[in-house]
């Protein structure tokens, strides 16, 4: 359909140029690519609308008069005679596309492309590094991490789908006072125990230590904090026993976190560790100080003036010469670019860090790194449960695995209640995939910048705008293809796209054809909710088609076979789009 739209643009531009030669020969020629295309608010008005307001002054004609003149010229243009009809509608030219030509091309393009349908080259030549997740090794992944992971993985897939070369990275925060607090609690209350002896996942065991430190700090606040600081100093000094414990607890935490990544379909091309990068950046800041980019206060600390970007100032090195997180992030960004020369680095980090990234990007630009202009903070809002905010140290945080288990169990109950255990095949595996579909779709259907409440019950609904509903649509489509394809009333027919004239068929075709435009918009905006919105529109359109356009009751083998081809195209697009938002496609539910 995109090619047909281009042909209409060329034809309308040609007609406008004919008018221009008569009314305003001195004006610049009209280029078809410059024409604005809109979708009329009512399908009865056509499939494409071309507003003509911008030509009124040039031609010294009222837009409705221009529309009428263009339509008169197009009526004798043989290049578009088989592509549809046109009608003047006030200041618009409305095009009614030839359904047979459009349907034939759309079905052929989708089925030929298969799992490549929707891919574009709009980001070809771009190397995009995406940083996401960034867990702490003192606790398991929680609901906030799951939103971060879903955003990072989905955006990476979308960018890659649009032609970019994507490199996914993760920085594991495996050092610092919060890690030492878990270590101290282990020494005092869990010494000699293991995740296995406790019967819990390894990252959960480390998280339990962190919660136990919080309890200890309430019992003896000053002593607990002092002991944790002493442990940190011992780690910084390289104490062998402390380093051994640090490595053991980090191994436990990372092992469990990796299992959650594998469970949720999240992966990385490289993992960085804060313990290896926290000293980076100091030399860059001192070099910038020598060049006059930064300044030193009387106490010896080094600062950057942020007035050029409308902010105050920011310390980059403490008075004792030690680095801060900002310093570390400066060094890490440079280190990463040396590792993998990106055009753009996307940081998937919560909105509370907006100030940090404004300063980071400005400092890197001051230091003269051209690529710093293309750094991007994909800021996202808080995610909580209906009963309030979560706190890791108090043990009120929702363990990501526990949440997925709850969703999985809910899906299992639904399968059992409907007596579908045998029909779905491996019921446990299907329930797990429904849980992941519920989780990821719910997390991604909200624009990243917005705070959200994750309601497990709502996310698992099999009706409405949810992951399980879309998975059900996929299973219904797969069922149709299995059951109907071999029926004589279908198999004996031929594909004849010109038979697809029903409004529900036409609406479904147009949505399927539009998928590449949505992938590009999602990539440009770095917003997976563009894809989830598309998926819901697609599912509603398929539902109407399924209700109104029977295959077995089509009345002729050719129409039945053609409708089956449309269902096949719908399955391809649904699978491709679901994969971009981490929702498993199911062939039975």
């Amino acid at each position: 359909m995109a090619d047909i739209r281009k042909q209409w643009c060329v034809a309308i531009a040609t007609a406008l140029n004919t008018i221009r030669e008569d009314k305003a020969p001195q004006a610049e020629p009209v280029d078809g690519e410059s024409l604005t295309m809109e979708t009329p608010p009512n399908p009865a008005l056509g499939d494409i609308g071309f507003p003509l307001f911008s030509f009124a002054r040039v031609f010294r004609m009222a837009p409705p008069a221009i529309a009428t003149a263009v339509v008169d010229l197009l009526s004798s243009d043989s290049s578009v005679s088989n592509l549809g009809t046109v009608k003047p509608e006030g200041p618009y030219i409305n095009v009614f596309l030839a359904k047979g030509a459009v349907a034939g091309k759309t079905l052929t393009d989708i089925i030929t492309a298969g799992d490549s349908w929707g891919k574009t080259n709009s980001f070809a030549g771009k190397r995009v590094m995406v940083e996401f997740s960034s867990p702490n090794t003192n606790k398991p992944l929680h609901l906030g991490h799951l939103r971060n992971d879903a955003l990072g993985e989905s955006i990476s897939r979308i960018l890659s789908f649009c032609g970019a070369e994507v490199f996914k990275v993760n920085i594991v925060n495996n050092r610092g006072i919060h890690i030492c607090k878990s270590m101290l609690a282990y020494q005092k209350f869990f010494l000699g125990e293991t995740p296995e002896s406790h019967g819990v996942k390894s990252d959960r065991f480390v998280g339990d230590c962190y919660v136990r430190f919080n309890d200890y700090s309430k019992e003896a606040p000053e002593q607990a904090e002092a002991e944790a600081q002493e442990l940190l100093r011992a780690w910084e000094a390289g104490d062998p026993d402390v380093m051994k414990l640090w490595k053991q607890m980090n191994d436990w935490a990372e092992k469990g976190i990796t299992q959650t990544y594998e469970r949720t379909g999240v992966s990385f091309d490289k993992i960085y560790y804060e313990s290896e990068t926290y000293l980076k950046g100091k030399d860059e800041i001192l070099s910038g100080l020598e060049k006059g980019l930064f300044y030193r206060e009387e106490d010896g600390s080094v600062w950057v003036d942020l007035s050029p970007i409308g902010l105050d100032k920011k310390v980059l090195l403490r008075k004792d010469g030690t680095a801060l997180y900002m310093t570390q992030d400066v060094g890490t960004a440079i280190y990463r670019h040396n590792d993998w020369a990106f055009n753009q680095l996307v940081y998937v980090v919560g909105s509370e860090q907006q100030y940090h990234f404004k300063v980071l990007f400005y400092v890197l630009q001051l230091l003269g790194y051209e690529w710093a202009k293309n750094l991007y903070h994909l800021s996202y809002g808080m995610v909580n449960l209906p009963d309030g905010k979560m706190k890791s140290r108090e043990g009120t945080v929702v363990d990501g695995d526990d949440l997925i288990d709850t969703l999985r169990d809910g899906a299992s109950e639904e399968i059992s209640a409907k007596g579908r255990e045998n029909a779905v095949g491996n019921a446990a595996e299907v329930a797990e995939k429904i849980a992941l579909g519920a989780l990821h779709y719910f997390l991604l259907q909200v624009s990243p910048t917005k705070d959200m409440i994750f309601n497990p019950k709502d996310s698992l609904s099999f009706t409405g705008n949810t992951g399980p509903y879309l998975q059900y649509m996929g299973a219904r489509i797969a069922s149709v293809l299995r059951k109907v394809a071999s029926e004589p009333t279908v198999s004996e027919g031929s594909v004849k796209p010109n038979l697809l004239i029903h409004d529900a068929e036409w609406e479904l075709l147009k949505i399927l054809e539009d998928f590449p435009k949505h992938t590009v918009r999602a990539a440009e905006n770095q917003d997976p909710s563009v894809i989830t919105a598309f998926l819901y529109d697609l599912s509603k359109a398929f539902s109407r088609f399924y209700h109104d356009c029977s295959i077995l009751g089509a009345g002729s083998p050719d129409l039945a076979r053609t409708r089956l081809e449309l269902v096949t195209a719908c399955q391809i697009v649904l699978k491709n789009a679901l994969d971009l938002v981490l929702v498993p496609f199911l062939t039975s539910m």
Side-chain angles (χ1 to χ4, degrees):
M1 196 184 295
D3 290 343
I4 294 174
R5 291 175 192 264
K6 281 184 179 180
Q7 287 176 265
W8 274 111
C9 286
V10 170
I12 291 172
T14 300
L16 287 168
N17 278 319
T18 299
I19 299 171
R20 176 189 61 80
E21 289 169 4
D22 178 47
K23 300 291 184 179
Q26 75 288 351
E28 288 291 321
V30 179
D31 182 0
E33 292 186 3
S34 68
L35 295 178
T36 299
M37 284 192 292
E38 298 179 359
T39 301
N42 183 345
L45 295 174
D47 302 302
I48 314 170
F50 290 88
L52 301 173
F53 303 101
S54 62
F55 300 101
R57 176 177 292 181
V58 179
F59 295 170
R60 296 185 180 180
M61 295 173 65
I66 300 173
T68 300
V70 168
V71 169
D72 287 344
L73 289 167
L74 290 172
S75 64
S76 59
D77 186 344
S78 60
S79 70
V80 291
S81 59
N82 63 337
L83 300 180
T85 58
V86 288
K87 180 181 177 182
E89 189 70 41
Y92 288 83
I93 297 169
N94 286 351
V95 176
F96 295 78
L97 296 172
K99 293 182 178 179
V102 171
K105 180 161 179 38
T106 300
L107 290 177
T108 299
D109 287 350
I110 294 173
I111 291 171
T112 300
D115 58 12
S116 293
W117 175 252
K119 289 186 176 182
T120 74
N121 292 319
S122 56
F123 279 70
K126 293 189 177 181
R127 289 164 60 88
V128 185
M129 181 179 284
V130 183
E131 179 202 286
F132 62 103
S133 197
S134 305
N136 296 317
T137 55
N138 65 329
K139 58 190 174 186
L141 299 179
H142 56 63
L143 180 54
H145 288 114
L146 295 182
R147 187 180 193 189
N148 183 303
D149 292 350
L151 282 168
E153 182 68 32
S154 179
I155 283 299
S156 297
R157 294 185 187 187
I158 291 167
L159 289 169
S160 179
F161 205 68
C162 289
E165 186 179 355
V166 177
F167 195 76
K168 299 181 290 181
V169 300
N170 184 3
I171 184 160
V172 177
N173 302 301
N174 66 341
R175 62 167 288 279
I177 191 64
H178 53 292
I179 308 298
C180 291
K181 289 176 178 179
S182 292
M183 292 164 59
L184 180 64
Y186 179 82
Q187 288 179 325
K188 283 186 168 292
F189 309 110
F190 298 90
L191 192 62
E193 298 185 39
T194 66
E196 291 75 20
S197 68
H198 264 249
V200 296
K201 194 160 166 273
S202 56
D203 53 342
R204 178 65 174 269
F205 177 66
V206 176
D208 289 344
C209 294
Y210 187 60
V211 172
R212 184 64 185 88
F213 173 85
N214 186 63
D215 295 337
Y216 175 51
S217 68
K218 291 176 181 177
E219 300 161 7
E222 293 183 7
Q223 181 178 340
E225 189 64 31
E227 289 174 343
Q229 290 291 345
E230 179 58 34
L231 203 56
L232 177 59
R233 284 190 288 272
W235 180 87
E236 290 175 340
D239 180 281
D241 291 335
V242 172
M243 296 301 290
K244 182 179 179 181
L245 175 59
W246 171 75
K247 186 177 187 308
Q248 176 62 80
M249 296 195 72
N250 272 305
D251 286 348
W252 280 334
E254 193 171 358
K255 177 184 176 183
I257 290 168
T258 299
Q259 289 170 346
T260 306
Y261 288 149
E262 292 171 350
R263 183 180 190 183
T264 54
V266 170
S267 64
F268 301 94
D269 297 299
K270 182 164 184 176
I271 295 178
Y272 295 84
Y273 295 90
E274 187 184 352
S275 59
E276 299 169 355
T277 65
Y278 78 104
L279 295 177
K280 296 184 183 298
K282 183 175 177 179
D283 289 344
E284 289 285 339
I285 300 304
L286 291 175
S287 175
L289 179 65
E290 291 178 5
K291 296 174 183 176
L293 302 174
F294 313 125
Y295 67 95
R296 194 183 292 277
E297 291 278 15
E298 291 182 2
D299 65 357
S301 58
V302 177
W303 296 70
V304 58
D305 175 19
L306 302 175
S307 59
I309 57 171
L311 299 173
D312 188 9
K313 61 181 182 177
K314 176 70 177 176
V315 62
L316 300 177
L317 290 174
R318 297 186 183 93
K319 61 183 179 181
D320 61 1
T322 55
L324 297 94
Y325 275 114
M326 182 65 66
T327 323
Q328 172 185 316
D329 282 353
V330 167
T332 302
I334 298 166
Y335 178 48
R336 285 176 175 166
H337 191 268
N338 291 336
D339 256 4
W340 194 79
F342 52 77
N343 303 128
Q344 183 181 48
L345 170 54
V346 177
Y347 293 88
V348 184
V349 181
S351 56
E352 69 275 10
Q353 293 295 325
Q354 287 181 358
Y355 171 83
H356 175 86
F357 285 104
K358 284 180 183 177
V359 176
L360 173 63
F361 298 168
Y362 178 65
V363 169
L364 285 164
Q365 288 181 50
L366 276 181
L367 289 168
Y369 293 101
E370 279 294 318
W371 46 262
K373 296 175 182 177
N374 294 321
L375 298 177
Y376 181 73
H377 175 204
L378 177 52
S379 170
Y380 65 91
M382 297 289 291
V383 54
N384 289 303
L385 292 170
D387 54 0
K389 194 171 183 178
M390 307 171 292
K391 296 181 180 178
S392 300
R393 63 181 179 275
E394 296 178 6
T396 59
V397 71
V398 178
D399 185 315
D401 288 297
D402 288 348
L403 177 59
I404 300 171
D405 288 347
T406 299
L407 294 171
R408 179 201 61 203
D409 294 344
S412 292
E413 291 172 7
E414 185 73 16
I415 292 170
S416 298
K418 293 182 176 180
R420 298 282 297 168
E421 295 97 324
N422 293 329
V424 301
N426 188 328
E429 183 179 308
V430 170
E432 175 81 3
K433 290 180 178 180
I434 291 172
L436 293 174
L439 173 72
H440 289 147
Y441 189 84
F442 204 94
L443 291 174
L444 294 174
Q445 69 176 325
V446 177
S447 177
T449 56
K450 295 181 180 178
D451 292 343
M452 66 177 296
I453 302 295
F454 183 86
N455 189 312
K457 183 178 179 181
D458 289 350
S459 75
L460 203 55
S461 174
F462 285 76
T463 59
N465 190 11
T466 68
Y469 172 68
L470 292 167
Q471 290 174 308
Y472 171 70
M473 278 293 168
R476 173 181 280 183
I477 289 171
S479 175
V480 169
L481 294 174
R482 283 195 304 269
K483 295 177 180 178
V484 173
S486 59
E487 291 287 335
T489 54
V490 178
S491 60
E492 293 174 2
S494 300
V495 175
K496 295 183 178 179
N498 62 305
L499 297 176
L500 298 177
I501 58 174
H502 193 284
D503 287 346
E505 296 166 337
W506 187 235
E507 179 188 9
L508 183 55
L509 273 165
K510 288 194 289 184
I511 289 175
L512 294 175
E513 193 274 338
D514 275 348
F515 179 46
K517 290 197 300 186
H518 291 281
T519 63
V520 171
R521 188 156 65 90
E524 289 175 344
N525 298 339
Q526 303 211 1
D527 184 358
S529 71
V530 172
I531 303 298
T532 59
F534 167 81
L535 276 163
Y536 188 47
D537 287 342
L538 174 59
S539 67
K540 290 186 292 184
F542 178 80
S543 184
R544 284 190 287 271
F545 162 79
Y546 185 80
H547 180 269
D548 296 347
C549 303
S550 170
I551 295 177
L552 294 179
S556 78
D558 287 347
L559 179 56
R561 179 69 184 84
T562 307
R563 284 178 173 171
L564 187 67
E565 193 83 345
L566 179 55
V567 173
T568 301
C570 193
Q571 182 185 58
I572 290 170
V573 176
L574 184 65
K575 287 177 72 172
N576 292 356
L578 285 175
D579 185 66
L580 296 180
V581 289
L582 323 186
V583 176
F585 182 86
L586 293 174
T587 56
S588 60
M589 281 179 71

